[in-house]
Each structure stands twice: as C-alpha cells, then as structure tokens.
Amino acid sequence: QVQLVESGGGLVQPGGSLRLSCAASGSIFGIGTVGWYRQAPGKQRELVASGTSGGSTNYADSVKGRFTISRGNAKNTVYLQMNSLKPEDTAVYYCNAAIRGVDLQLRDYWGQGTQVIVSS
C-alpha cells in the first residue's frame, strides 16, 4: 500500500521560510508527476507547484520566484521550499503524486496535509 506523508508545516513570520517534505512509501515502481496544492479556509484547493519526472516544473503565478519544488536524491521524497512567505500563503498544503505500483498500475495519491500559518 502506498502512502504520502507530509511534514514541515508550522507557524512562520511574514518574510520567513519553510520547507515542506512529502515522503512516499510502500510498493512503488516509479513516481511520475508530483504536485503541491493548498487550501485556505473558505477557498478551493489550488495548485501551487508541480514537477514532472523529466524535471519540468510549473508554478502558480502567486508563488513564482518564491517557491521551489524539487525531488530528493532518494527520488521518493518531494520538497517545497517556500521563501518570502506572505500571510496569504496561509493554508493547508497537500502533496499529490502519480505513482506506479509494482502491479504497474498508475494511481493518484494524496497526503494528509500540513498546516502553514504565516503571521506576525
């Protein structure tokens, strides 16, 4: 069984930085496109950043130049480096990944979410 577990959220002052981690575990053959989404209270979930297995990345306009998505050396970990944080970045952040299991089926997985609060 495949699981995604996020970590790294917390309370940070405006202008500060956080790094979110998303670790995939289980019977994994390969990981395709990964993404970080966020959902603020009363708002729809939105895509923050995504990255393909080939290395292409895509960012929401609101985070371009401030956030960076990357994969760990172990390849089963995805990071979101968040710099110059603003109060409007406050949300629950979710990791998403397209994972091919050992049965070679490609499935979509979500983590449980990690809270980020940007406040003075």
Side-chain angles (χ1 to χ4, degrees):
Q1 186 169 353
V2 174
Q3 283 188 317
L4 295 180
V5 178
E6 300 112 333
S7 60
L11 173 65
V12 64
Q13 291 188 342
S17 298
L18 281 175
R19 189 175 81 156
L20 305 183
S21 300
C22 173
S25 62
S27 301
I28 297 171
F29 182 82
I31 300 177
T33 298
V34 295
W36 285 95
Y37 290 73
R38 67 186 180 188
Q39 187 166 19
K43 294 188 176 181
Q44 289 189 329
R45 190 173 297 189
E46 63 173 351
L47 176 66
V48 175
S50 63
T52 69
S53 56
S56 298
T57 57
N58 183 56
Y59 297 92
D61 287 344
S62 59
V63 307
K64 279 180 182 176
R66 300 189 297 122
F67 290 11
T68 303
I69 188 171
S70 63
R71 300 192 187 215
N73 290 333
K75 302 299 183 186
N76 283 1
T77 303
V78 181
Y79 302 102
L80 184 68
Q81 178 67 43
M82 305 186 295
N83 299 327
S84 302
L85 282 161
K86 304 175 181 179
E88 51 263 43
D89 295 319
T90 295
V92 178
Y93 284 71
Y94 297 91
C95 176
N96 171 263
I99 296 177
R100 195 174 300 279
V102 294
D103 61 358
L104 302 184
Q105 294 297 310
L106 189 67
R107 298 178 179 89
D108 194 54
Y109 292 91
W110 289 88
Q112 81 287 357
T114 185
Q115 177 75 58
V116 171
I117 299 174
V118 184
S119 175
S120 55

